[in-house]
Amino acid sequence: MITVSIFINGEPIFTRSARRQEDKRNGDFNTYKTDSGDIVEHHHKDGAVVLAKKLLDTIKEDM
C-alpha cells in the first residue's frame, strides 16, 4: 500500500492511497487501485516518486 499526502502549513489538503492489485503479467509492471477507485498502471523500475505523481494526478480539485 502507498499513501501520498500534500500538506500546507501542517494541514493535509490532499491525500491519495492505493493498493497493488494481483497482476497476472510479468513482475516489473504493477496495477494499483486507488481509494477513489481509479486504476493506475506503473512500471516498478520507474520508482516510487513516479508512482506518487501518478496517484496525485488522479485528484480532481474543486475550483
Side-chain angles (χ1 to χ4, degrees):
M1 179 173 201
I2 181 170
T3 300
V4 181
S5 295
I6 297 175
F7 287 77
I8 294 182
N9 296 328
E11 296 293 323
I13 61 165
F14 297 112
T15 298
R16 178 63 77 227
S17 295
R19 183 172 301 276
R20 189 174 65 199
Q21 302 296 294
E22 184 176 347
D23 213 330
K24 305 289 188 215
R25 295 173 282 187
N26 105 22
D28 67 333
F29 187 80
N30 297 302
T31 301
Y32 291 82
K33 186 172 183 180
T34 69
D35 54 344
S36 65
D38 294 305
I39 300 296
V40 174
E41 295 180 340
H42 176 68
H43 289 277
H44 180 74
K45 67 179 179 172
D46 291 340
V49 172
V50 171
L51 176 56
K53 289 178 181 179
K54 288 180 180 182
L55 294 178
L56 291 174
D57 284 342
T58 67
I59 294 174
K60 315 293 188 283
E61 288 188 74
D62 294 332
M63 296 186 129

